[in-house]
């Protein structure tokens, strides 16, 4: 098996599979020699290479764990190197654009999309950990041409990483993930930018920031290049979800400005009830 | 000293002052006999009462830790019971409306506003803890009539709770806190409501929610009655900050829809840089 990219996602997956002996042999393909050296020294992989010709032709499974638009370019560039019969998958955060790229792979390989629903606002191999995928939902997005046996292999990979596989068609995945991942990121960024605009007039704003601001703004610290790839390969769903969000914010803003307590109470209570059902407080809270 | 209301804020303050022996005598004034009993049993107070006439006339300092609009009504109702020379303060989350109420207190008491910048999405005495205020900013908002010696007493109270006092005029407090507390709460609620609107069509959305959604939506689980009081006593600043937020969201949405990578990159990088400066990642992250 070869993992392309040993950042947070690829590095964590390699570490997990190595830790449990779940893969016969884990090879890493990276851009920089330092990363290859670091990955081997950490024991994250059996072998790391910087030359695709030394990492791809022997692999039964190739897993791309690079940023979305990078991996779309790599899929095309590396296509001639894939072994006949190889399973080609990826861990990208959007699925429609990647599925288009996967569908253009030669007929002698088996492409299938996937997306583990986890991450951190830190990135890179230094942030990787074998437990990253534990308990996470791992979306599997087969193409029409993907055989059932290949779906089963990727589901087994997800389980080996400690995750729970969930099959979703690419367009459905992209809509749902826009709602619970891409838009929350944009919200966090917009919140920080709005506070920054206040800070330009009154720096004291940062001194009154407490845990509420800290948590709501956490995603704003995500890797910008990675998030740009995600947003720009999912513009329709992001626009739809931003519209839904704006309507809710407008409804809340109007209820406050108009002093409409009944309406405000109804909206806020609905949000509170749902949030508490999704994440019940711990017994000792 | 008498603390009116032994929920998260009042209960935590009582516990802290008792723990360190920082107050000669801590009396709690609560609405329900069960709370009085529980507070005494927990050792959070020296004595708890449900009758204002048994808790207020002897107090040198009275601290209101009830929801904003409740405490505004209590200030008026309890005014005849305050001891001449008593310091009357409160822990409310907005300052302008409360300052108006404080300014109407009789001339023989010393009113002063305050607001510790901390909280949790759980509420009530059961959630209280002596360490709640540790390291928090504690805003002190004096009235024109507040003597310097009284300001010093409330600053000492803040330090005794483990917090750092910061003097801010009421209107300035309300603007800054709208930006870093009230609007983040509205964002979290709007995010949950927008996801809920998606869930009405496709329940699977909850299964793909990961830590990003969890953290960005945390504030939505806050106590609704408490938050309604806060929002409805700070409508102007909330409206201004919602406007700032909307402009940032629109700018981000337009850059994505238009594929304007340079603009998107500039905005997202500015947010990421600021967030990382505010909350530097731990060394071992």
């Amino acid at each position: 098996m070869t993992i392309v990219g040993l950042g947070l996602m690829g590095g964590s997956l390699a570490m997990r599979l190595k830790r449990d002996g779940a893969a016969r042999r884990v090879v890493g393909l990276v851009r920089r020699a330092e990363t290859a050296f670091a990955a081997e020294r950490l024991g994250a992989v059996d072998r790391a290479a910087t030359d695709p010709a030394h990492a791809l032709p022997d692999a039964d499974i190739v897993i791309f764990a690079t940023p979305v638009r990078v991996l779309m370019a790599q899929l095309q560039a590396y296509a001639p190197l894939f072994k006949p019969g190889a399973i080609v998958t990826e861990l990208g955060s959007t699925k429609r654009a990647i599925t288009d790229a996967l569908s253009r792979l030669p007929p002698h390989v088996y492409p299938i999309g996937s997306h583990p629903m986890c991450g951190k606002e830190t990135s890179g191999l230094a942030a990787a950990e074998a437990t990253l995928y534990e308990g996470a939902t791992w979306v599997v997005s087969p193409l029409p041409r993907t055989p059932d046996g290949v779906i089963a292999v990727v589901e087994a990979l997800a389980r080996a990483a400690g995750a729970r596989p969930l099959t979703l068609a690419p367009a459905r995945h992209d809509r749902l993930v826009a709602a619970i991942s891409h838009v929350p990121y944009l919200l966090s960024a917009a919140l920080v930018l709005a506070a920054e605009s206040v800070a330009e007039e009154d720096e004291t704003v940062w001194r009154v920031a407490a845990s509420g601001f800290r948590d709501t703004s956490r995603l704003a610290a995500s890797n910008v290049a990675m998030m740009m790839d995600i947003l720009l390969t999912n513009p329709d769903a992001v626009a739809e979800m931003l519209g839904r969000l704006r309507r809710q914010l407008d409804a809340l803003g109007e209820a406050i400005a108009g002093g409409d307590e009944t309406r405000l109470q109804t909206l806020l209570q609905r949000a509170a009830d749902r949030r508490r059902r999704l994440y019940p407080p711990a017994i000792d809270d």
Side-chain angles (χ1 to χ4, degrees), chain A:
Chain A
M1 157 183 314
T2 291
I3 299 176
V4 184
L6 294 173
L8 174 67
M9 301 295 280
S12 293
L13 182 61
M15 283 175 186
R16 174 63 178 232
L17 299 176
K18 282 277 292 172
R19 188 194 79 179
D20 298 349
R24 196 169 44 80
R25 183 177 161 77
V26 179
V27 175
L29 173 61
V30 295
R31 202 163 37 87
R32 297 185 310 133
E34 298 98 292
T35 312
F37 179 72
E40 285 186 355
R41 197 186 42 193
L42 274 168
V45 291
D46 293 299
R47 184 169 65 81
T50 56
D51 184 346
H54 293 157
L56 297 174
D58 291 334
D60 297 316
I61 306 180
V62 182
I63 303 166
F64 287 84
T66 42
V68 173
R69 293 193 295 181
V70 172
L71 83 85
M72 285 166 63
Q74 286 173 328
L75 282 173
Q76 190 172 12
Y78 297 169
L81 295 171
F82 296 140
K83 178 173 166 175
I87 295 173
V88 178
T89 191
E90 43 79 39
L91 310 181
S93 297
T94 59
K95 290 275 80 74
R96 270 182 306 179
I98 294 174
T99 302
D100 286 349
L102 286 171
S103 69
R104 287 190 295 271
L105 287 179
H108 65 265
V109 300
Y110 297 118
I112 176 170
S114 88
H115 178 207
M117 302 305 308
C118 54
K120 297 200 285 188
E121 75 274 31
T122 48
S123 53
L125 182 60
E129 45 188 282
T131 55
L132 184 70
Y133 299 97
E134 199 68 52
T137 293
W138 182 310
V139 174
V140 178
S141 266
L143 279 66
R145 72 188 246 197
T146 310
D148 285 351
V150 169
I151 300 174
V153 168
V154 175
E155 287 175 344
L157 175 73
R159 288 197 196 91
R164 295 180 313 249
L166 170 71
T167 301
L168 287 182
R172 188 173 169 205
H173 166 276
D174 284 4
R175 265 191 88 237
L176 300 186
V177 168
I180 59 79
S181 173
H182 309 169
V183 160
Y185 166 67
L186 289 172
L187 270 188
S188 288
L191 176 64
V192 173
L193 292 171
E196 177 97 43
S197 77
V198 174
E200 281 163 17
E201 299 155 23
D202 191 345
E203 273 262 326
T204 308
V205 71
W206 304 128
R207 289 184 62 193
V208 294
S211 62
F213 184 80
R214 186 195 63 214
D215 289 359
T216 313
S217 69
R218 180 175 70 81
L219 293 180
S222 303
N223 181 291
V224 170
M226 185 188 79
M227 291 309 305
M228 298 246 315
D229 272 19
I230 292 171
L231 297 166
L232 292 168
T233 56
N234 196 21
D236 303 347
V238 167
E240 186 210 327
M241 294 304 160
L242 274 180
R244 284 180 191 254
L245 182 91
R246 243 184 240 114
R247 284 192 288 282
Q248 300 298 340
L249 268 182
D250 288 349
L252 290 165
E254 282 160 21
I256 294 165
D260 185 343
E261 301 203 17
T262 311
R263 176 97 183 109
L264 186 60
Q265 152 95 32
T266 302
L267 293 169
L268 296 178
Q269 195 62 55
R270 190 188 304 159
D273 289 344
R274 170 55 75 182
R275 177 56 169 70
R276 289 177 197 148
R277 274 203 303 283
L278 287 171
Y279 305 96
I283 298 296
D284 62 348
D285 260 8

